[in-house]
Amino acid sequence: MLLPVNNKEKALIKVSKEDAFSICKVLVMEVYDVVIIGAGHNALVCAAYLLKAGYSVLLLEKQASPGGGATTEELMPEAAPGFKFNPCAMNHLFIFLGPVIQELELTKYGLEYLYCDPVVFCPHPDGKYFLAHRSVEKTCAEIARYSDRDAQKYAEYVDFWQRFVRAVIPFFNAPPKSIVDAAGNYDLKKLQDLFSLLGGPNQTLDLMRTLFNSPIDNINEYFDSEFLKAPLARLSAELSSPPSQKAMSFGAMMMTMRHEPGMARPRGGTGALVAALVKLVQSEGGVILTEQDVKQVLVDDGRAVGVRVAGGKEYLARKGVISSVDAKRLFLQLMDTSDVDAADSNLRERLERRIVNNNETILKIDCALSEPLRFEHHEHKDEYLIGSILIADSVNHVEQAHSEITVGKIPDADPSMYLVMPTALDPSMAPEGKHTLWIEFFAPYQIAGKEGSGLKGTGWTDELKHQVADRVLDKLAQYSPNLKHSIIARHVESPAELGERLGSYKGNYYHIDMTLEQMLCFRPLPELANYKTPIENLFLTGAGTHPGGSISGMPGRNCAHIFLQEQQTLKETIKDARNALKATVQSVFGRDSD
Ligand SMILES: Cc1cc2nc3c(=O)[nH]c(=O)nc-3n(C[C@H](O)[C@H](O)[C@H](O)COP(=O)(O)OP(=O)(O)OC[C@H]3O[C@@H](n4cnc5c(N)ncnc54)[C@H](O)[C@@H]3O)c2cc1C
C-alpha cells in the first residue's frame, strides 16, 4: 500500500497492507471503519444503522451543513428574517412505507410529523377545482359535485394503486437483487394484495399491460373530467417525466399515497428530519465533517481504502467507503480511470452512455409573504392551503411543462407549477401572522441554443431566472390575485445553481431519472444495483440507488443491510435469511416453517 508520509511533500513509502492502518494511527491520520461521501438524509440513515451495529463512521459533506436535499434554512436572513424555507424537499410520503422512523426511534430525537389534510388542491380555469382529502370517501364526494361516474371510478383507481403500493413495499425495503430479503418482508396482508393484483394468468398479463402504459393512458382509462385528469397527470409526472411517457403509469402512486400512508411534513421543516438523524448519529459516536468536498476515492489493489478531500487531506476506511453521490459522478469524477478500468473495463462507457437523463430539473422560487394566498375565484377556503397546490390547467398543459424541457425549452409561456404554503400547517416557520411560499417549476438544466453561456455553460443567468420567476408568479396571481402585493421578499434558484448546491448530476434531484428502466434491479445499472460495486469495499447508496429519489431513507437502510451482510460469515447470512422467511411463514400460516 502507498502511504503518504507528508501531504505537502507528497513523499510515499511502501508498507505492507496490514501495517498501513496502524501506522496511520501513529501518524494521527484519521481512520474509521466506514467513510461515507455526503451527508444527505440517506447517508445519515445508513450511518445510523452502521453505528448501531458497532462500526465507527465518518461522514464527509461538501456543504456547510448536512442534509443535501432535505434542509430547512433562513434563505433571506436580511430581507426576510425569521422566515424558514425548505429549499428542496417539502412533502414526505415514501418514508412512511419503510421502518426507518420506528427502527431508529427518530421521535426520541425530536422528529414530529404533521399530517396534511386536505392533501391536494387544484383550481381549474373554468372555476371547478379538485380538492383531495386524506379520506378517499370525502374525496369522492368532492368529485361527485361535478361527476358521479368519475367519483365512483376514483375509488376504483385508488384501490388498485394502493394494492399495488402495498404489494411492492417489501421490494422497496430490501436490496433489489435479494429475493430472500424481499420475501422476508411479506406478511399476510401484503401477500393478499400481491395475489389480488396477480390473480390468474390473464389478470397477471393485464397488470403488466397497465405497467407498460403511460400515466395518461391509465388516467384516460378511468376518468372523463379534465379538472380531475390534469392534477392526476401532474402528480404522476412528479417522477420526472411527461405524463405521456410509456411504462410510467406507476406514477399514480404519487396521488394514492397521499391517502395512505398519507403525506406529512416534519414540524419545523424538512430539516427537522436531518436534525434528528444528526443527533442520533452523533449520540452513537458518528463524526460528521462539513465543508469537506471529496475529490477522490483511494483504491489500493482493487479495494477502496479511503478518500481524499479538496485541500489534500485523506481519511482512511478499514471496512468500506460508501458513496451517497450517484454512480455516474462517483466513477467518472471521483476515481482514477485506471482503478475503474481495472475493475470493469466497460463500466465508464456504460455509465456515460447508458444512464438516461432527460434534462429535467427545477427552478425553485421561495417567497416570504405578508398574508396567506387567497383563491378567490374558487370559493376560497383556508383548508385549500394545507396540502400540495397544483396549477395544472389541463393534461396538455402538464404535458408541455415536461416535454418542452426534454428539448431544452423553458415552459414559461403558460407555467404549470406545484406550490405549498407550509405555514398553513406549521406556523412556526415564519414570524407570527406571516407566511412562506414554496414553488417548484420544472425547467431544463441545459437551455437549447445557449450552450457554453451562463452558469456552467447551461445558459442560466441571474437575469433569466428572475424573468422566468416573474412569469411563474404572474400565472399564480391569476388564481390568487393577492399574491403580488403580499410578497415581502423572494429567493430564486436556477437549475444550474441547484445542481451546484446539491452537487447533483445536471441538477437531477433524483440523482438519476426515475424511469422504469432505471428502477429496481436496474438502478443505476444492473451490475451496480445491489449497493455493491466492482471495487471491493466500495458501496453505493443515495437517491441514485434502489428504490430511488425522494425522502425515504430506504436506499440508506438497504445499503447498510448489504454492508453488514458483507461482514458476516455465510452461516450467519443463511441464519438471518431463514429467520426472515420464518417470520413471513408465521404471519401467513400462523405457524412455524419447521
Ligand atoms: C427543489 C426540490 C424539491 C423536492 N421536493 C421533494 C418533496 O417534496 N418530497 C420528496 O420526497 N422529495 C423531494 N425532492 C427530492 C429529494 O430532496 C431528494 O431525492 C433527496 O433529498 C435525496 O436524498 P439523498 O440523501 O439520497 O441525496 P442528497 O440529499 O442529494 O445528498 C447528497 C449529499 O452529498 C453531498 N455531496 C455531493 N457531492 C459531494 C462530494 N463530492 N463530497 C462530499 N459531499 C458531497 C451533497 O452536498 C449532499 O448533501 C426534491 C428535490 C428538489 C431539488
Side-chain angles (χ1 to χ4, degrees):
M1 179 178 194
L2 292 175
L3 183 73
V5 174
N6 176 326
N7 271 338
K8 278 186 194 135
E9 291 168 17
K10 296 271 184 259
L12 297 169
I13 55 164
K14 189 136 191 152
V15 294
S16 79
K17 232 184 269 177
E18 293 71 36
D19 291 338
F21 289 115
S22 5
I23 294 172
C24 289
K25 270 191 180 156
V26 176
L27 293 175
V28 207
M29 276 186 87
E30 293 186 41
V31 188
Y32 296 82
D33 290 332
V34 179
V35 172
I36 304 186
I37 307 172
H41 84 287
N42 275 312
L44 288 162
V45 165
C46 186
Y49 281 99
L50 301 186
L51 287 158
K52 279 178 173 286
Y55 293 89
S56 64
V57 181
L58 167 70
L59 296 107
L60 296 169
E61 167 55 49
K62 93 177 174 135
Q63 290 297 337
S65 52
T71 58
T72 298
E73 297 165 39
E74 263 197 50
L75 287 177
M76 299 171 276
E78 278 167 27
F83 289 79
K84 293 184 209 134
F85 301 90
N86 294 338
C88 292
M90 169 63 66
N91 290 318
H92 298 204
L93 298 138
F94 287 94
I95 197 163
F96 307 117
L97 301 183
V100 163
I101 297 169
Q102 295 78 9
E103 282 179 353
L104 296 180
E105 299 178 292
L106 292 180
T107 48
K108 270 197 195 165
Y109 298 90
L111 179 65
E112 182 195 351
Y113 271 104
L114 304 171
Y115 276 81
C116 297
D117 194 6
V119 286
V120 177
F121 169 65
C122 179
H124 203 68
D126 64 6
K128 290 180 182 165
Y129 58 89
F130 174 55
L131 183 65
H133 300 267
R134 192 164 172 198
S135 144
V136 180
E137 232 179 10
K138 273 177 84 179
T139 309
C140 291
E142 297 279 359
I143 299 169
R145 284 182 296 124
Y146 308 116
S147 163
D148 280 333
R149 184 192 171 277
D150 278 355
Q152 196 192 325
K153 284 284 168 188
Y154 187 78
E156 285 175 29
Y157 174 81
V158 172
D159 174 63
F160 175 84
W161 287 108
Q162 283 189 338
R163 279 184 291 129
F164 174 82
V165 171
R166 286 196 297 267
V168 296
I169 285 176
F171 282 96
F172 284 178
N173 288 296
K177 286 179 171 171
S178 305
I179 298 296
V180 173
D181 288 316
N185 285 338
Y186 275 99
D187 57 17
L188 183 58
K189 178 81 192 94
K190 293 190 186 96
L191 277 176
Q192 280 169 342
D193 284 321
L194 182 64
F195 289 127
S196 78
L197 288 169
L198 298 176
N202 282 341
Q203 202 179 331
T204 303
L205 290 172
D206 208 49
L207 169 67
M208 287 172 71
R209 193 180 187 282
T210 301
L211 293 176
F212 293 145
N213 273 346
S214 69
I216 203 57
D217 294 333
N218 187 241
I219 290 167
N220 281 335
E221 198 178 322
Y222 283 90
F223 307 112
D224 293 330
S225 314
E226 197 70 26
F227 85 93
L228 174 59
K229 292 202 277 188
L232 298 183
R234 170 79 211 195
L235 285 174
S236 292
E238 281 294 304
L239 289 182
S240 77
S241 52
S244 65
Q245 177 135 341
K246 292 288 178 188
M248 289 300 290
S249 60
F250 66 92
M253 290 166 61
M254 301 304 283
M255 179 66 230
T256 54
M257 285 195 303
R258 281 167 158 82
H259 296 296
E260 190 55 46
M263 178 173 92
R265 302 176 196 139
R267 188 187 290 282
T270 288
L273 168 66
V274 167
L277 285 165
V278 166
K279 265 192 212 154
L280 164 60
V281 163
Q282 288 173 340
S283 72
E284 294 282 341
V287 178
I288 305 167
L289 298 180
T290 54
E291 297 182 313
Q292 302 288 321
D293 190 358
V294 174
K295 292 291 184 195
Q296 175 128 34
V297 174
L298 305 172
V299 176
D300 180 52
D301 205 11
R303 181 167 158 257
V305 292
V307 302
R308 183 180 303 125
V309 297
K313 184 158 182 180
E314 294 181 354
Y315 297 92
L316 298 190
R318 272 182 289 256
K319 307 258 177 208
V321 173
I322 298 180
S323 171
S324 73
V325 167
D326 69 85
K328 200 157 177 165
R329 283 177 299 150
L330 173 70
F331 288 101
L332 301 182
Q333 294 168 6
L334 304 184
M335 296 192 65
D336 263 356
T337 51
S338 57
D339 289 332
V340 183
D341 291 350
D344 178 345
S345 57
N346 293 322
L347 187 59
R348 285 190 306 118
E349 172 142 347
R350 280 172 59 75
L351 286 164
E352 189 68 73
R353 294 186 173 264
R354 195 144 168 81
I355 291 191
V356 181
N357 184 301
N358 70 3
N359 197 32
E360 181 172 302
T361 177
I362 290 171
L363 180 130
K364 184 71 196 331
I365 306 169
D366 288 286
C367 300
L369 301 181
S370 58
E371 63 181 54
L373 300 178
R374 280 191 66 78
F375 289 87
E376 58 190 50
H377 311 307
H378 295 83
E379 305 162 357
H380 177 87
K381 295 189 193 86
D382 287 345
E383 64 172 355
Y384 298 167
L385 306 175
I386 299 283
S388 312
I389 304 171
L390 308 174
I391 301 300
D393 293 349
S394 64
V395 171
N396 280 347
H397 188 213
V398 180
E399 181 66 25
Q400 260 175 0
H402 290 270
S403 55
E404 287 191 3
I405 288 171
T406 50
V407 292
K409 287 192 190 159
I410 306 169
D412 63 344
D414 183 21
S416 169
M417 73 199 80
Y418 173 177
L419 54 129
V420 173
M421 205 189 80
T423 38
L425 185 67
D426 183 359
S428 77
M429 295 188 69
E432 207 181 332
K434 304 284 191 290
H435 293 274
T436 58
L437 175 63
W438 176 102
I439 305 178
E440 177 189 275
F441 172 70
F442 289 124
Y445 181 77
Q446 178 64 59
I447 303 171
K450 297 213 173 166
E451 292 79 3
S453 67
L455 184 58
K456 294 272 159 189
T458 58
W460 283 102
T461 59
D462 271 358
E463 195 190 351
L464 180 60
K465 76 176 183 185
H466 282 293
Q467 271 172 16
V468 175
D470 285 343
R471 288 197 196 114
V472 172
L473 294 171
D474 284 347
K475 173 78 183 183
L476 179 56
Q478 290 173 15
Y479 286 94
S480 174
N482 70 330
L483 168 71
K484 287 294 182 69
H485 72 246
S486 2
I487 298 178
I488 299 168
R490 77 180 197 189
H491 181 272
V492 182
E493 188 176 50
S494 73
E497 290 168 317
L498 180 91
E500 279 298 281
R501 174 165 63 87
L502 291 179
S504 66
Y505 181 74
K506 294 196 175 176
N508 194 322
Y509 43 97
Y510 294 144
H511 291 193
I512 66 170
D513 288 357
M514 299 264 279
T515 41
L516 186 60
E517 82 289 356
Q518 297 192 150
M519 300 294 276
L520 301 164
C521 51
F522 311 117
R523 192 169 184 86
L525 287 173
E527 62 268 41
L528 300 174
N530 238 33
Y531 310 98
K532 289 196 278 187
T533 74
I535 311 264
E536 203 187 323
N537 284 3
L538 179 62
F539 299 83
L540 272 172
T541 184
T545 60
H546 168 77
S550 293
I551 302 301
S552 76
M554 291 171 186
R557 178 177 178 270
N558 290 346
C559 174
H561 181 72
I562 286 290
F563 172 88
L564 295 173
Q565 246 179 20
E566 286 288 295
Q567 318 303 314
Q568 289 180 332
T569 60
L570 184 62
K571 206 171 153 197
E572 287 167 325
T573 307
I574 292 172
K575 193 175 156 208
D576 280 357
R578 196 164 166 267
N579 287 342
L581 289 176
K582 232 173 156 182
T584 301
V585 171
Q586 262 170 352
S587 142
V588 176
F589 300 109
R591 65 175 172 81
D592 239 318
S593 59
D594 294 325

